[in-house]
Amino acid sequence: MSELRDLYQELIVDHSKRPRNFGRLPDFNYCAEGYNPLCGDKLKLFLKIDEEGVIREVSFEGSGCAISTASASLMTQSLKGQTREKADALFETFHALITGPRDPAKAGKGLGKLAVFSGVSEFPARVKCATLAWHTLRSALHDKNKVTSTE
Ligand code: ZN
């Protein structure tokens, strides 16, 4: 179990130091900003979604703690090529993993690498760090006021 934990830690450290999909997309049609006042994490999310509702490109920029940066980085990786519906489903599963009552049999099912954040549920103060990118995703996809069109 501790080996698994080390592996998880490594992945989080790696993504916080070298975040993937970092920077503003040149061409995006959805965007939202998120802020976690408890920790000071800030991020802006950019999405390019095609007519079929498939997320073609996704990136983020901002600054925050290791957990928030790694979570945003891993989230962008898992969103590419997914439909909006799948993105919503991932939000629910991820949110349940981090905040819900632990159900080891189900926890993290279908989340792939995102399951590395399961340990965060033991640290309530860091939950908002891990979920910031996801809440920002949700507002980009659902809050009409936040939708920015480049066309
Ligand atoms: Zn944080």
Side-chain angles (χ1 to χ4, degrees), residues 36 39-41 64-68 125-126 128-130:
N36 170 21
C39 179
D41 310 315
C65 66
I67 299 277
S68 71
R126 310 314 297 274
K128 288 217 155 69
C129 301

Side-chain angles (χ1 to χ4, degrees), residues 22 34-35 40-44 60-65 68-69 132:
F22 192 81
Y35 177 50
D41 310 315
K42 280 181 195 169
L43 75 85
K44 198 162 182 184
F60 74 104
E61 60 182 21
S63 60
C65 66
S68 71
T69 304
L132 175 66

